């Protein structure tokens, strides 16, 4: 895809902001979900900057792109072996913490998901 001839789509502007934040040390790892049509551009961009990444299909022509420090991506390879909505409450909590999400919000989310599972098991 020749992005120079087109106006940069919003998905790619978001990607550029994530890359900027990663390079500045604001984040150790990023999860970016985007349309598959921009895959080649996104991966080339990361490769040119020497940034490690993992791509996982989501469905509906969308991809999850994890990128960041190798240690974080190694944990993702071990932990995220199925769609994100199928992660256990514990795995979901760890992923959110790794991504730098608000820890109190992650605690609330964990409790909600855990309680929901307890009620479903009854």
């Amino acid at each position: 895809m020749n992005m120079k001839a087109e106006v940069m789509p919003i998905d790619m502007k978001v990607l550029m902001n994530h890359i900027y934040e990663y390079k500045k040390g604001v984040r150790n790892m990023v999860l970016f979900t985007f349309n598959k049509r921009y895959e080649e551009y996104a991966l080339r961009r990361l490769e040119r900057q020497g940034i490690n990444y993992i791509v996982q299909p989501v469905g509906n022509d969308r991809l999850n792109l994890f990128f960041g420090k190798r240690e974080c991506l190694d944990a993702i390879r071990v932990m995220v072996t199925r769609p994100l909505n199928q992660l256990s409450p514990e795995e979901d909590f760890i992923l959110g913490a790794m991504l730098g999400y608000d820890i109190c919000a992650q605690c609330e989310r964990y409790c909600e998901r855990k309680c929901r599972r307890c009620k479903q098991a009854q």
Side-chain angles (χ1 to χ4, degrees):
M1 162 171 265
N2 182 2
M3 299 292 285
K4 291 179 183 177
E6 303 175 18
V7 173
M8 185 178 288
I10 191 71
D11 273 356
M12 294 303 96
K13 289 179 182 179
V14 171
L15 173 65
M16 303 313 267
N17 186 64
H18 285 319
I19 291 172
Y20 173 81
E21 289 180 349
Y22 171 71
K23 296 287 254 182
K24 290 294 184 182
V26 174
R27 303 172 184 275
N28 291 316
M29 185 179 71
V30 173
L31 168 58
F32 175 59
T33 304
F34 66 107
N35 192 296
K36 185 175 175 47
R37 79 179 113 180
Y38 304 120
E39 180 179 16
E40 183 181 331
Y41 175 82
L43 300 186
R44 257 196 339 254
R45 190 76 185 201
L46 293 173
E47 288 168 2
R48 277 196 313 260
Q49 296 194 39
I51 300 174
N52 298 307
Y53 63 86
I54 299 170
V55 178
Q56 294 181 331
V58 175
N60 299 330
D61 291 326
R62 310 233 357 119
L63 299 171
N64 278 339
L65 175 62
F66 292 93
F67 66 90
K69 297 202 176 185
R70 183 170 304 282
E71 303 88 345
C72 296
L73 296 178
D74 287 345
I76 293 300
R77 284 184 188 92
V78 172
M79 186 174 60
V80 183
T81 57
R82 58 198 176 283
L84 298 181
N85 65 346
Q86 293 177 11
L87 294 179
S88 71
E90 293 78 10
E91 292 165 329
D92 181 79
F93 180 86
I94 293 167
L95 178 59
M98 290 172 63
L99 290 166
Y101 296 171
D102 176 270
I103 205 70
C104 291
Q106 283 303 112
C107 289
E108 288 177 12
R109 179 178 167 89
Y110 170 75
C111 290
E112 287 171 12
R113 292 187 77 213
K114 193 71 173 181
C115 290
R116 193 177 326 132
R117 279 203 171 174
C118 291
K119 288 176 185 174
Q120 289 173 349
Q122 293 177 350

